[in-house]
Amino acid sequence: MKWTNRQYVDMMTYNNPERIMFSELFGPLNVLENEWRQQGASEDMISMHRFSFDYVPYQSIGRTGAIHTLKPVVLEEDENHYVGIDGYGRRVRLDKTTATIALPETFPVETMDDWLKIKHMFVYEDSRIKDEDIDKAIELQKQGTMITMSIPGGFDILRELMGEVNCCIGYYEDPELLYDILNTIGDTCEKVIKRISSRMTIDQLSVHEDMAGKTGPMIGPNLVSAFINPYYRRTWDIAAESGTKLFCQDSDGNMNVLIDTFMEGGVNVFYPCEPAADMDIVKLRKKYGHKIAFRGGIDKHVLRKTKADIDKELEYKLQSCILEGGIVLGLDHRITNGTPLENYIYYVDRAREMLGLPNFRDCEPGWGRMAF
């Protein structure tokens, strides 16, 4: 089903929603696509369109990340591997058989002098948001398109520039460098949102962090409060003042210890809520009530087990407190390699049945990736 921006915002803010959404956040991993083809999947199943998931059309507005980056250079490439130099000047490597994001092997920033060499990529200039971009967004929003603006992650951008180890050490040994990076980007984000908010209200502010593993995050609440929340609030306070209701954070892993702290920074939507990392949407809903919303929450690993395990997972997750709203129900990340097509179809059928949705085979094809 195609939703409007208004329907989506109302559902995520518990404003008398008709029902929750059922969707897919990311889609299958590359290898799984070929596995499913061998198991008889049609191409519209591979693309996710056949399953007729709920979606809302969306359009991102404003450029808040790096601009005037370097031209990427390919050093090595074949059907399985890629090695190159990316826009930051990092040497990156990708194993195409197991991943979709190239991993950096070098990083451009170790010292303040290093940062000053690339700081211009993050400084505000008027080209980051044009009047015609806002004009287009206003018209799309009137038609039901969800208008979003993304800001660089307060942890993620430091990790991208410095690497995880140097970034975490930098909080203690070189805080001036980290503050200068975040203040520069914060100034850019603030100026972009001010220009947008002078003419329209965006539907959602989004941020990508990916700052946690299975057992917990890479930094604690004290550092989030000192470094990241002040950066967040520079943009969120302006957006919220203009009427924006949703501030959505994407982070894999166990973020439980940081939820309260990030709520202080304005975040009120968390995803993908990985059960393998102890992110249990039922427990979280019972703890926080309607203060926050979620996307994801269904254990992707269960789909490689039995149909009885799939039933058990859905029956637990689809409790009455979850059905109140505030969730895009879906798998907690990419559909993993080794997931049988038969099990995935069973999962979709059972979830739709339990939600009172029509059989996807009787519906118009359609899907919009919900990882925005």
Side-chain angles (χ1 to χ4, degrees), residues 58-63 133 137 140 145-150 372:
Y58 66 93
Q59 176 69 45
S60 183
I61 183 173
R63 300 175 63 192
D133 297 333
L140 287 172
T145 296
M146 184 169 174
I147 304 302
T148 70
M149 173 179 152
S150 296
F372 55 76

Side-chain angles (χ1 to χ4, degrees), residues 139-157:
E139 290 305 311
L140 287 172
Q141 191 176 55
K142 290 177 182 178
Q143 299 166 25
T145 296
M146 184 169 174
I147 304 302
T148 70
M149 173 179 152
S150 296
I151 63 174
F155 179 87
D156 184 58
I157 191 61

Side-chain angles (χ1 to χ4, degrees), residues 69-296:
T69 55
L70 302 175
K71 183 178 179 180
V73 177
V74 177
L75 299 179
E76 304 172 22
E77 186 170 23
D78 58 33
E79 61 179 331
N80 295 321
H81 298 89
Y82 169 83
V83 179
I85 305 297
D86 71 3
Y88 290 140
R90 305 177 301 185
R91 181 184 173 93
V92 297
R93 181 181 298 273
L94 172 65
D95 181 347
K96 298 179 182 179
T97 65
T98 59
T100 56
I101 300 175
L103 292 177
E105 298 180 328
T106 61
F107 298 92
V109 176
E110 291 186 9
T111 67
M112 181 66 78
D113 286 341
D114 294 333
W115 160 242
L116 293 177
K117 293 176 183 176
I118 65 169
K119 184 174 180 176
H120 66 278
M121 296 181 182
F122 299 92
V123 172
Y124 175 80
E125 59 182 58
D126 288 343
S127 65
R128 288 180 176 273
I129 178 64
K130 301 176 181 178
D131 288 337
E132 51 264 38
D133 297 333
I134 302 176
D135 292 338
K136 178 181 178 182
I138 291 172
E139 290 305 311
L140 287 172
Q141 191 176 55
K142 290 177 182 178
Q143 299 166 25
T145 296
M146 184 169 174
I147 304 302
T148 70
M149 173 179 152
S150 296
I151 63 174
F155 179 87
D156 184 58
I157 191 61
L158 299 176
R159 177 248 311 281
E160 291 293 317
L161 296 178
M162 304 175 68
E164 291 170 353
V165 173
N166 286 341
C167 164
C168 290
I169 293 173
Y171 285 109
Y172 299 95
E173 296 189 355
D174 202 353
E176 294 84 2
L177 171 59
L178 274 61
Y179 277 126
D180 195 72
I181 294 173
L182 292 177
N183 285 337
T184 300
I185 299 171
D187 182 65
T188 293
C189 294
E190 181 179 339
K191 290 176 179 176
V192 170
I193 193 63
K194 279 183 175 179
R195 285 192 58 190
I196 296 171
S197 297
S198 67
R199 297 190 54 204
M200 68 176 298
T201 297
I202 63 170
D203 296 300
Q204 178 173 283
L205 183 67
S206 302
V207 65
H208 173 270
E209 293 291 6
D210 274 7
M211 59 186 294
K214 185 174 182 178
T215 59
M218 284 179 273
I219 62 172
N222 59 329
L223 295 180
V224 170
S225 294
F227 287 85
I228 300 180
N229 277 355
Y231 159 66
Y232 276 15
R233 301 234 49 130
R234 292 186 65 177
T235 306
W236 172 242
D237 287 349
I238 298 169
E241 179 66 24
S242 75
T244 303
K245 299 287 177 50
L246 302 178
F247 185 4
C248 182
Q249 183 191 81
D250 170 9
S251 185
D252 302 342
N254 187 334
M255 293 286 284
N256 285 297
V257 72
L258 294 182
I259 289 177
D260 289 280
T261 307
F262 274 123
M263 287 173 65
E264 294 173 1
V267 179
N268 55 18
V269 182
F270 294 86
Y271 81 101
C273 303
E274 295 181 282
D278 199 31
M279 292 289 286
D280 185 319
I281 57 174
V282 174
K283 292 179 180 178
L284 290 169
R285 172 57 53 78
K286 291 178 177 179
K287 178 178 180 179
Y288 291 102
H290 291 183
K291 294 179 182 178
I292 56 178
F294 309 101
R295 300 215 306 263

Side-chain angles (χ1 to χ4, degrees), residues 3 7-14 17 19-21 325-327:
W3 292 47
Q7 289 174 311
Y8 179 81
V9 173
D10 283 347
M11 188 275 293
M12 293 297 274
T13 56
Y14 307 91
R19 63 176 176 85
I20 64 173
M21 291 183 79
I327 184 164

